[in-house]
Amino acid sequence: MAGNSEPLSPRAKLAVTAGRAAAAVSRAAGKGSGSVIGGKVALRFDPDLLARLARHLDVVLVSATNGKTTTTRLLAEALRANGPVVSNALGANMPAGITSALAGGSDARYGVIEVDEKYLAGVARDVAPKAIALLNLSRDQLDRAAETRMLAEKWREGLAGVEAIVIANADDPLIVWAASSSPTVVWVAAGQEWKDDAWSCPSCGGVLQRPSEDWFCAECGFRRPTPTWALSGDHVVDPYGVAWPIHLQLPGRANRSNAAVSAAAAAAFGVDPKIALERMYKVQAVAGRYDVVSYQGRDLRLLLAKNPAGWLETFSLIDGPPTPVILSVNARGADGTDTSWLWDVDYTRLAGHPILVLGDRKLDLAVRLEVAGLQFLVCADLEEAVRSAPPGRIETIANYTAFQDLRRKVGN
């Protein structure tokens, strides 16, 4: 069925046209890409439009707390080996943004869709995916998305009736709990650096035992499943025991983990791991993340970190002291308005770096850094921070809206 696009009904066509017009107005007004408002308008005209647009596609959904935008990008690149792909590559991952993306994919064979954690079950019901990739769950925007165990339970309930191949990270107990209700699961040993949200058993509430890379609950028997794919250093090992080299332009262990899950997901669509991984090398940056830009005569590397798990991974990417580091934190709607998560981040890892602090909530961050015993300078804006930074490339780490602010500022 994939690739054989059925004609849209007159109502659906009207909805798509109205959505595109709204998006164009939004862009002309300088309000961004217009994908979200365009999708909202289109769904107002036809509430079933998302399902209609996905009908001719082989769809794979990608969801997680961290890494879903990058994994979506890597997986889309891999699947292009087999045919045209439509994807919400810029991260508009709620139903409106997904609808806008699919509206431009009438000739596509595959839909590679990033989905916000809160909307995963609903989108899965609408688009009838062939596969779903689940990477990790950790605390993020608790004021909006609720506690991680509750989210895992919602996924577990919502995915129970979905006939999709689930590609899931065997090293995250919350992901295993969420995926275990699915009839067909491909387990990937993708690793888990951040473990602070997964010490209690999601099944019974007991304390998880974590000998080496394994984990299990001694009270109820819930345990790590045996993976058929595994990240092993700079390689991904397939179900036949063949180790395929991972060559990425994106830095860090977390992105090798994303590539391993992407290779396993691509295999579910018949793409050979060698071809999938070779295609992933083309990805240099993802929606501005990892880009090195020139600003006021200085090189800035732009890094996104939205929650404690993301900050932990990002600290492992940056150049060592005395490399200057700019930190910028906002707490707007898209970030979550609660900044208490700052206290869960181990900022002592920045000891020895000159630290410049920006953002709407720079004083919240300053208090956290002071308690951590670090030297830092609070700055009014990016210009002052760059002026105040000692020589060398500047590592710039920001949460979601602060990252967007920085990209606009540097013209990226």
Side-chain angles (χ1 to χ4, degrees), residues 295-296 298 300 326 381-389 394:
Y295 182 72
Q296 293 192 340
R298 302 289 296 274
L300 279 65
I326 291 174
D381 51 33
L382 182 62
E383 289 89 341
E384 182 185 342
V386 170
R387 263 199 323 272
S388 305
I394 303 171

Side-chain angles (χ1 to χ4, degrees), residues 124-282:
R125 282 194 301 273
D126 284 345
V127 305
K130 180 175 178 178
I132 302 173
L134 305 178
L135 312 176
N136 52 69
L137 277 177
S138 66
R139 72 192 76 166
D140 181 60
Q141 298 189 31
L142 294 182
D143 55 317
R144 183 183 75 86
E147 188 267 333
T148 51
R149 170 63 177 74
M150 291 170 61
L151 192 54
E153 185 65 35
K154 287 178 182 174
W155 279 13
R156 183 179 172 85
E157 292 170 0
L159 297 178
V162 176
E163 294 181 10
I165 300 169
V166 176
I167 298 92
N169 183 2
D171 291 319
D172 186 330
L174 288 165
I175 289 293
V176 174
W177 175 249
S180 292
S181 65
S182 303
T184 308
V185 185
V186 174
W187 299 110
V188 183
Q192 184 187 37
E193 287 291 296
W194 175 265
K195 299 180 175 67
D196 285 20
D197 292 307
W199 285 107
S200 64
C201 174
S203 178
C204 75
V207 178
L208 287 178
Q209 307 299 311
R210 285 184 171 272
S212 186
E213 296 303 309
D214 197 11
W215 58 262
F216 64 90
C217 176
E219 295 181 37
C220 74
F222 181 62
R223 67 176 311 125
R224 180 180 185 262
T226 303
T228 54
W229 292 76
L231 174 65
S232 179
D234 293 332
H235 292 74
V236 57
V237 181
D238 72 14
Y240 304 101
V242 180
W244 301 95
I246 301 172
H247 297 298
L248 296 177
Q249 297 189 65
L250 306 179
R253 187 215 65 86
N255 283 319
R256 292 194 296 276
S257 172
N258 296 335
V261 174
S262 297
F269 292 85
V271 180
D272 184 81
K274 180 177 187 292
I275 294 170
L277 290 160
E278 283 175 352
R279 293 189 67 89
M280 291 180 209
Y281 180 76
K282 296 180 180 180

